[in-house]
Amino acid sequence: MQEELEKALNWAMNNLKAEYVELRYENLKKNNLELKDGTFTTFAGKVQEGIAIRILTDGAWGFSSTNRIENLRQAIEEAYKLAKATAQAKKEKIQLADIKPHEDFVKSKMKIKPKEVSIEEKVEHMRELEKLLKEDRSIKSTQIRYEDASGEKILLTNEGTNIRWDVNYIVQYIWATGKRGDKLAAGRDSIGTVDYGWEIFKDEQPNEKVAQRVLRKLHSQLEGVAPKRGEFPIVAGPIVVGIIAHEALGHLAEADLTINSPFKDLMGKEIAPEYVTMSERYVDGGFGNDRYDDEGVPFKNINIIKDGVLNEIMLNREYAHKWNMEPNGHARAENYTYPPIIRMRNTIFEPKDWSFEEMIEDIKFGYYVVDFRGGQAQLNSAFQVGVQEGYIIENGEITKSIRDTSISGIAIDALKKITAVGKDFGIETGFCGKGQTAFVSSGGPHMRFDGGIIIG
C-alpha cells in the first residue's frame, strides 16, 4: 500500500497546483461483541479500510475519502476541485504553521495485541464478568460491550511527512441496573486502552476488580439518601475532577472553540489559585496517547492552566498560524471518512501535596463525589453532571452514601474556590464527541471546592 500511496502523492504534486496535499490511509480489523443478560446481541467482525484526502489550495480546504484504492486518483481530484470551489467564496485564506516533516514508525506498546487473542477467550472473559456481576442479588440486568481493533495507519504529505502506525486498541463498557425494594439504580464502567493489550484484564483490570467497582457504585445508590440541595464544601474524586477538566474547561481550550469562549480574553491572566495546574499531556495508560497527530505533528505536553494562570491552548496547524503559536499535536480524525479537527487527548489536573484525610478533617458538613454518570457543559463553562457514587462528609468523616443527585456550576467560578489539591492521581478513559468521536482520558487528584459547585 505504501507504494500506491507514494505514486498517488507524486501524481498530485506534479499535476495539481496545491499548497498542501495529505493522504491518510487506514486498514483496521475490528471485533464488536455485546452481551446482554446472557445473550450475545452483537457478534461482528469487520475490516475498515480507506483513504482520506485533504488538499489546501488558494487558501481553502478540500476533503474527500474513498474505500476503493483504485479510485484514489479520482478522489484526489475531487478534493482539489472542492478546495478550488470553496476558495472563490472564502474571504480569510487558510495558512498552516510550519513544521518539521517526520519519517517514523510508531510501534504499539501492547504486550498482547487483541488480534493475538482468540474469539473464544474474549467470549469467556465477558461471560465470566457477567457471572460475577449477577452473583449479587440486587443486579437485575447487565449489558457488556467489547470492541477491539488491530491494523495500520499511514500518513503521507507533499512536505515529506511519512509516518506509519501499528494501531491497536481495546474498549470495554458495562451498564448494570439494580433494585432493592422500591429503589432502582444504574451504574456504568468503562475501560479504554491503546498502550496496554489483553494483559490489562490479567494485571490491572481483572474481572473481579471491575465487578467489585460496578457493584460498589450500585450499592452506594441503593443504600443512599437524598442529599440536601445547596452549596457546600465538596471533595471531588479523580474521575469527577477529570470530567470538570474535560467537559467544562477542556473544550474552552480547543483553539477552534476558544474564539467563542471566556478563555479568549483570559489568556495570560490568573483564573485559579497558584497551586492549580491543568494539563493536556501524555499519561501512563491514557486512552488519548499517541506520538503524532493526524497532521504528523508530534504530540506535545501543554499546561492549559499553569500555577493558576491560563497559559496554553490546543492547536492544529491552521489555528497555530492564526494564534502565532507552535502546533502541539491536537489534530485528530475519528477515521478516514473525517478530516482532522482539534481534539483533546488526556486532560488532567496536576497533583500537589494534600492527603485525603487533610482535605476532609475540618468539614462539618459537605459531600464527597466519587464518580459521575452523564453530564453536559456549555462554552461559558457551565456544567451539570450526574453523580453515580457520592457520600456525605460529617465532622471530618465519610458517613452515608447519596443517591439521585447531580452537581452543577460555572467551572471558571469554581476554579477560584479550590482550596486543596491532593497528592494522589487517577484517570478515567472514554470517548468524546465533537461531530466525530475521539478516544480520551481525564482525571487528576482529589480536590476540594469550598463553593462554586451546587449539589442536589
Side-chain angles (χ1 to χ4, degrees), residues 158-445:
N158 63 325
E159 297 174 330
T161 292
N162 187 339
I163 301 171
R164 186 164 67 91
W165 286 262
D166 175 16
V167 177
N168 297 271
Y169 69 80
I170 292 173
V171 176
Q172 177 178 280
Y173 181 82
I174 300 169
W175 180 263
T177 58
K179 184 177 182 181
R180 183 180 299 166
D182 60 351
K183 287 186 176 180
L184 294 171
R188 58 153 199 93
D189 189 86
S190 64
I191 296 170
T193 174
V194 292
D195 289 339
Y196 299 112
W198 190 256
E199 67 271 11
I200 196 171
F201 297 125
K202 301 177 185 295
D203 304 330
E204 290 188 25
Q205 300 286 354
N207 279 343
E208 293 79 7
K209 181 178 179 180
V210 174
Q212 288 171 8
R213 189 164 63 226
V214 174
L215 293 171
R216 188 190 72 228
K217 296 171 188 178
L218 272 175
H219 283 287
S220 73
Q221 297 173 62
L222 293 173
E223 298 162 9
V225 298
K228 298 178 184 178
R229 175 174 170 80
E231 194 170 0
F232 303 96
I234 298 281
V235 175
I239 294 175
V240 175
V241 162
I243 196 65
I244 293 172
H246 176 97
E247 288 290 354
L249 295 167
H251 283 297
L252 277 61
E254 292 171 326
D256 54 342
L257 299 181
T258 304
I259 197 74
N260 295 312
S261 83
F263 275 9
K264 177 187 175 184
D265 300 317
L266 293 172
M267 290 299 295
K269 296 181 180 178
E270 186 176 315
I271 62 171
E274 63 180 1
Y275 44 82
V276 174
T277 293
M278 190 178 106
S279 304
E280 245 285 317
R281 65 171 173 84
Y282 173 87
V283 175
D284 184 32
F287 202 24
N289 288 345
D290 205 341
R291 194 180 301 170
Y292 302 93
D293 72 0
D294 286 326
E295 293 182 327
V297 178
F299 173 39
K300 297 178 183 177
N301 296 339
I302 64 171
N303 296 132
I304 296 171
I305 301 171
K306 185 176 182 180
D307 301 331
V309 176
L310 185 58
N311 184 58
E312 293 177 276
I313 58 176
M314 290 165 268
L315 301 158
N316 61 5
R317 292 182 64 186
E318 177 183 342
Y319 277 84
H321 186 274
K322 282 184 180 181
W323 288 76
N324 194 27
M325 295 178 176
E326 291 267 335
N328 48 37
H330 284 89
R332 305 176 67 192
E334 178 179 342
N335 56 46
Y336 74 90
T337 65
Y338 294 93
I341 58 175
I342 300 171
R343 306 304 302 273
M344 282 176 270
R345 292 185 179 275
N346 309 304
T347 314
I348 56 99
F349 280 98
E350 298 289 356
K352 284 297 182 183
D353 53 7
W354 284 65
S355 69
F356 181 74
E357 292 73 21
E358 289 171 332
M359 284 190 195
I360 68 170
E361 63 184 2
D362 67 341
I363 297 178
K364 291 184 179 180
F365 186 87
Y367 292 97
Y368 173 34
V369 288
V370 181
D371 202 348
F372 75 94
R373 181 180 63 240
Q376 57 186 0
Q378 307 296 328
L379 270 180
N380 66 352
S381 86
F383 67 92
Q384 181 172 1
V385 177
V387 175
Q388 72 166 340
E389 184 181 3
Y391 303 89
I392 297 172
I393 304 171
E394 295 178 289
N395 299 316
E397 299 287 338
I398 303 297
T399 58
K400 305 181 189 73
S401 60
I402 57 175
R403 59 175 278 116
D404 297 334
T405 193
S406 65
I407 56 172
S408 60
I410 306 292
I412 289 178
D413 295 337
L415 280 173
K416 300 180 179 72
K417 304 292 180 67
I418 296 171
T419 55
V421 180
K423 56 188 175 184
D424 59 341
F425 185 78
I427 63 168
E428 182 177 60
T429 59
F431 299 92
C432 174
K434 186 182 170 184
Q436 45 181 293
T437 302
F439 298 166
V440 296
S441 299
S442 58

